[in-house]
Amino acid sequence: DISLSDIKRIKINTLYNEYAEAIALAKKILHRFGYSYKKADSTPIDNELPPFRINMARLFELYVYCLLREKYPEKITYQSRGEYGCVDFLKADEKLIIDTKYKLEYKDEYEGENIRQLSGYARDKEVLKKLEIFKDAAKKEVDDNTVVECVIIYPNNDAKENFKKRKLKEESTPIPQFTKFYKCGIKLPTKQG
């Protein structure tokens, strides 16, 4: 057993900042069981501690990052900051803005809010500089008239193979209502064995 006053006295040493999240979680678990680990064993099944929440959108983004880095080494920039926000991926050699959306509905349709988000990135002057889209390369003056290609990568377990040997936009399906917008479904990993 541990008292509430003991828990309140726990201080995080700056040398061990990485433990802050673990201690915060431990405090929540102890609070849930009335600050007694013995009560955890006697708690009925219907009062179990809820499972940890996994940020699947972030996990999917990192999975796609690994696939892109494997397929296009040294050509993918991850979390590139612009004036407007942070772009998931840039692929400068193809002048592509790539975003991930952990949404199964992209197989059949798309969300307008996501299109607007990528459109904002495609007009962000800092992003355009990073993609080297210039009127005059010597002056590093951004070309305001270029329509940048955008790809939304989403989970699609009907996809046969992730990122074959072609260019990314060639593996993608155009979104017909928009100029130079594509969507690319990728197969999620499955349990082996």
Side-chain angles (χ1 to χ4, degrees), residues 11-104:
K11 300 266 191 262
I12 307 289
N13 186 320
T14 55
L15 214 55
Y16 303 105
N17 276 337
E18 63 269 11
Y19 293 115
E21 190 174 344
I23 289 172
L25 182 59
K27 286 179 179 179
K28 288 178 184 177
I29 292 170
L30 284 169
H31 175 75
R32 167 72 176 81
F33 292 110
Y35 301 100
S36 173
Y37 68 88
K38 292 176 185 172
K39 288 182 183 176
D41 290 337
S42 62
T43 302
I45 290 175
D46 59 342
N47 286 332
E48 284 184 350
L49 190 64
F52 295 106
R53 184 181 178 275
I54 296 173
N55 184 340
M56 292 304 293
R58 178 82 167 136
L59 184 61
F60 179 67
E61 181 180 298
L62 291 171
Y63 172 65
V64 170
Y65 178 52
C66 290
L67 292 175
L68 288 170
R69 289 257 335 220
E70 183 180 307
K71 171 70 172 142
Y72 310 107
E74 309 301 320
K75 294 183 181 177
I76 295 294
T77 305
Y78 178 61
Q79 290 292 310
S80 186
R81 181 153 299 284
E83 295 291 327
Y84 173 73
C86 233
V87 180
D88 285 354
F89 309 101
L90 292 178
K91 191 164 185 300
D93 65 325
E94 288 188 57
K95 311 284 190 225
L96 279 177
I97 295 174
I98 305 167
D99 196 34
T100 57
K101 295 297 175 196
Y102 186 70
K103 299 176 181 183
L104 297 173

